[in-house]
mmCIF file with all atom_site columns, all heavy atoms in Angstrom:
data_model
loop_
_atom_site.group_PDB
_atom_site.id
_atom_site.type_symbol
_atom_site.label_atom_id
_atom_site.label_alt_id
_atom_site.label_comp_id
_atom_site.label_asym_id
_atom_site.label_entity_id
_atom_site.label_seq_id
_atom_site.pdbx_PDB_ins_code
_atom_site.Cartn_x
_atom_site.Cartn_y
_atom_site.Cartn_z
_atom_site.occupancy
_atom_site.B_iso_or_equiv
_atom_site.pdbx_formal_charge
_atom_site.auth_seq_id
_atom_site.auth_comp_id
_atom_site.auth_asym_id
_atom_site.auth_atom_id
_atom_site.pdbx_PDB_model_num
ATOM 1  N N   . GLU A 1 543 ? 89.598  82.134 124.828 1.00 98.00 ? 1921 GLU A N   1
ATOM 2  C CA  . GLU A 1 543 ? 90.571  81.086 124.409 1.00 98.00 ? 1921 GLU A CA  1
ATOM 3  C C   . GLU A 1 543 ? 91.724  81.751 123.627 1.00 98.00 ? 1921 GLU A C   1
ATOM 4  O O   . GLU A 1 543 ? 92.894  81.379 123.796 1.00 98.00 ? 1921 GLU A O   1
ATOM 5  C CB  . GLU A 1 543 ? 89.901  80.037 123.567 1.00 98.00 ? 1921 GLU A CB  1
ATOM 6  C CG  . GLU A 1 543 ? 89.033  79.104 124.352 1.00 98.00 ? 1921 GLU A CG  1
ATOM 7  C CD  . GLU A 1 543 ? 88.376  78.030 123.457 1.00 98.00 ? 1921 GLU A CD  1
ATOM 8  O OE1 . GLU A 1 543 ? 88.731  77.970 122.259 1.00 98.00 ? 1921 GLU A OE1 1
ATOM 9  O OE2 . GLU A 1 543 ? 87.533  77.277 123.950 1.00 98.00 ? 1921 GLU A OE2 1
ATOM 10 N N   . ILE A 1 544 ? 91.375  82.691 122.738 1.00 98.00 ? 1922 ILE A N   1
ATOM 11 C CA  . ILE A 1 544 ? 92.438  83.390 121.972 1.00 98.00 ? 1922 ILE A CA  1
ATOM 12 C C   . ILE A 1 544 ? 93.317  84.199 122.927 1.00 98.00 ? 1922 ILE A C   1
ATOM 13 O O   . ILE A 1 544 ? 94.553  84.188 122.826 1.00 98.00 ? 1922 ILE A O   1
ATOM 14 C CB  . ILE A 1 544 ? 91.808  84.317 120.908 1.00 98.00 ? 1922 ILE A CB  1
ATOM 15 C CG1 . ILE A 1 544 ? 91.031  83.500 119.889 1.00 98.00 ? 1922 ILE A CG1 1
ATOM 16 C CG2 . ILE A 1 544 ? 92.869  85.173 120.235 1.00 98.00 ? 1922 ILE A CG2 1
ATOM 17 C CD1 . ILE A 1 544 ? 90.109  84.320 118.992 1.00 98.00 ? 1922 ILE A CD1 1
ATOM 18 N N   . ALA A 1 545 ? 92.700  84.901 123.864 1.00 98.00 ? 1923 ALA A N   1
ATOM 19 C CA  . ALA A 1 545 ? 93.435  85.718 124.829 1.00 98.00 ? 1923 ALA A CA  1
ATOM 20 C C   . ALA A 1 545 ? 94.388  84.868 125.631 1.00 98.00 ? 1923 ALA A C   1
ATOM 21 O O   . ALA A 1 545 ? 95.532  85.298 125.956 1.00 98.00 ? 1923 ALA A O   1
ATOM 22 C CB  . ALA A 1 545 ? 92.463  86.478 125.717 1.00 98.00 ? 1923 ALA A CB  1
ATOM 23 N N   . GLU A 1 546 ? 93.970  83.667 126.021 1.00 98.00 ? 1924 GLU A N   1
ATOM 24 C CA  . GLU A 1 546 ? 94.845  82.773 126.789 1.00 98.00 ? 1924 GLU A CA  1
ATOM 25 C C   . GLU A 1 546 ? 96.145  82.487 126.043 1.00 98.00 ? 1924 GLU A C   1
ATOM 26 O O   . GLU A 1 546 ? 97.223  82.427 126.626 1.00 98.00 ? 1924 GLU A O   1
ATOM 27 C CB  . GLU A 1 546 ? 94.113  81.457 127.100 1.00 98.00 ? 1924 GLU A CB  1
ATOM 28 C CG  . GLU A 1 546 ? 93.074  81.596 128.173 1.00 98.00 ? 1924 GLU A CG  1
ATOM 29 C CD  . GLU A 1 546 ? 92.212  80.331 128.311 1.00 98.00 ? 1924 GLU A CD  1
ATOM 30 O OE1 . GLU A 1 546 ? 92.388  79.401 127.475 1.00 98.00 ? 1924 GLU A OE1 1
ATOM 31 O OE2 . GLU A 1 546 ? 91.370  80.279 129.215 1.00 98.00 ? 1924 GLU A OE2 1
ATOM 32 N N   . VAL A 1 547 ? 96.031  82.278 124.749 1.00 98.00 ? 1925 VAL A N   1
ATOM 33 C CA  . VAL A 1 547 ? 97.232  81.946 123.936 1.00 98.00 ? 1925 VAL A CA  1
ATOM 34 C C   . VAL A 1 547 ? 98.125  83.162 123.722 1.00 98.00 ? 1925 VAL A C   1
ATOM 35 O O   . VAL A 1 547 ? 99.345  83.066 123.879 1.00 98.00 ? 1925 VAL A O   1
ATOM 36 C CB  . VAL A 1 547 ? 96.813  81.332 122.589 1.00 98.00 ? 1925 VAL A CB  1
ATOM 37 C CG1 . VAL A 1 547 ? 98.029  81.121 121.685 1.00 98.00 ? 1925 VAL A CG1 1
ATOM 38 C CG2 . VAL A 1 547 ? 96.047  80.049 122.766 1.00 98.00 ? 1925 VAL A CG2 1
ATOM 39 N N   . ILE A 1 548 ? 97.547  84.304 123.423 1.00 98.00 ? 1926 ILE A N   1
ATOM 40 C CA  . ILE A 1 548 ? 98.378  85.441 123.061 1.00 98.00 ? 1926 ILE A CA  1
ATOM 41 C C   . ILE A 1 548 ? 98.882  86.231 124.294 1.00 98.00 ? 1926 ILE A C   1
ATOM 42 O O   . ILE A 1 548 ? 99.586  87.231 124.153 1.00 98.00 ? 1926 ILE A O   1
ATOM 43 C CB  . ILE A 1 548 ? 97.639  86.426 122.104 1.00 98.00 ? 1926 ILE A CB  1
ATOM 44 C CG1 . ILE A 1 548 ? 96.465  87.119 122.771 1.00 98.00 ? 1926 ILE A CG1 1
ATOM 45 C CG2 . ILE A 1 548 ? 97.237  85.699 120.835 1.00 98.00 ? 1926 ILE A CG2 1
ATOM 46 C CD1 . ILE A 1 548 ? 95.827  88.203 121.924 1.00 98.00 ? 1926 ILE A CD1 1
ATOM 47 N N   . THR A 1 549 ? 98.518  85.737 125.507 1.00 98.00 ? 1927 THR A N   1
ATOM 48 C CA  . THR A 1 549 ? 99.049  86.376 126.720 1.00 98.00 ? 1927 THR A CA  1
ATOM 49 C C   . THR A 1 549 ? 99.953  85.430 127.506 1.00 98.00 ? 1927 THR A C   1
ATOM 50 O O   . THR A 1 549 ? 100.156 85.614 128.693 1.00 98.00 ? 1927 THR A O   1
ATOM 51 C CB  . THR A 1 549 ? 97.884  86.840 127.643 1.00 98.00 ? 1927 THR A CB  1
ATOM 52 O OG1 . THR A 1 549 ? 97.095  85.717 127.992 1.00 98.00 ? 1927 THR A OG1 1
ATOM 53 C CG2 . THR A 1 549 ? 97.025  87.886 126.923 1.00 98.00 ? 1927 THR A CG2 1
ATOM 54 N N   . GLN A 1 550 ? 100.517 84.470 126.797 1.00 97.00 ? 1928 GLN A N   1
ATOM 55 C CA  . GLN A 1 550 ? 101.393 83.513 127.498 1.00 97.00 ? 1928 GLN A CA  1
ATOM 56 C C   . GLN A 1 550 ? 102.532 83.114 126.568 1.00 97.00 ? 1928 GLN A C   1
ATOM 57 O O   . GLN A 1 550 ? 102.311 82.581 125.480 1.00 97.00 ? 1928 GLN A O   1
ATOM 58 C CB  . GLN A 1 550 ? 100.602 82.267 127.900 1.00 97.00 ? 1928 GLN A CB  1
ATOM 59 C CG  . GLN A 1 550 ? 101.406 81.332 128.777 1.00 97.00 ? 1928 GLN A CG  1
ATOM 60 C CD  . GLN A 1 550 ? 100.530 80.278 129.408 1.00 97.00 ? 1928 GLN A CD  1
ATOM 61 O OE1 . GLN A 1 550 ? 99.438  80.601 129.894 1.00 97.00 ? 1928 GLN A OE1 1
ATOM 62 N NE2 . GLN A 1 550 ? 100.980 79.036 129.445 1.00 97.00 ? 1928 GLN A NE2 1
ATOM 63 N N   . LEU A 1 551 ? 103.772 83.376 127.016 1.00 97.00 ? 1929 LEU A N   1
ATOM 64 C CA  . LEU A 1 551 ? 104.963 82.994 126.259 1.00 97.00 ? 1929 LEU A CA  1
ATOM 65 C C   . LEU A 1 551 ? 105.350 81.568 126.536 1.00 97.00 ? 1929 LEU A C   1
ATOM 66 O O   . LEU A 1 551 ? 105.067 81.035 127.641 1.00 97.00 ? 1929 LEU A O   1
ATOM 67 C CB  . LEU A 1 551 ? 106.122 83.923 126.630 1.00 97.00 ? 1929 LEU A CB  1
ATOM 68 C CG  . LEU A 1 551 ? 105.985 85.391 126.212 1.00 97.00 ? 1929 LEU A CG  1
ATOM 69 C CD1 . LEU A 1 551 ? 107.053 86.247 126.890 1.00 97.00 ? 1929 LEU A CD1 1
ATOM 70 C CD2 . LEU A 1 551 ? 106.091 85.537 124.693 1.00 97.00 ? 1929 LEU A CD2 1
ATOM 71 N N   . PRO A 1 552 ? 106.024 80.888 125.612 1.00 95.00 ? 1930 PRO A N   1
ATOM 72 C CA  . PRO A 1 552 ? 106.508 79.514 125.887 1.00 95.00 ? 1930 PRO A CA  1
ATOM 73 C C   . PRO A 1 552 ? 107.418 79.516 127.113 1.00 95.00 ? 1930 PRO A C   1
ATOM 74 O O   . PRO A 1 552 ? 108.345 80.316 127.232 1.00 95.00 ? 1930 PRO A O   1
ATOM 75 C CB  . PRO A 1 552 ? 107.285 79.160 124.594 1.00 95.00 ? 1930 PRO A CB  1
ATOM 76 C CG  . PRO A 1 552 ? 106.756 80.080 123.548 1.00 95.00 ? 1930 PRO A CG  1
ATOM 77 C CD  . PRO A 1 552 ? 106.345 81.333 124.243 1.00 95.00 ? 1930 PRO A CD  1
#
Side-chain angles (χ1 to χ4, degrees):
E1921 286 181 7
I1922 296 167
E1924 285 172 355
V1925 174
I1926 68 173
T1927 60
Q1928 188 167 317
L1929 292 168

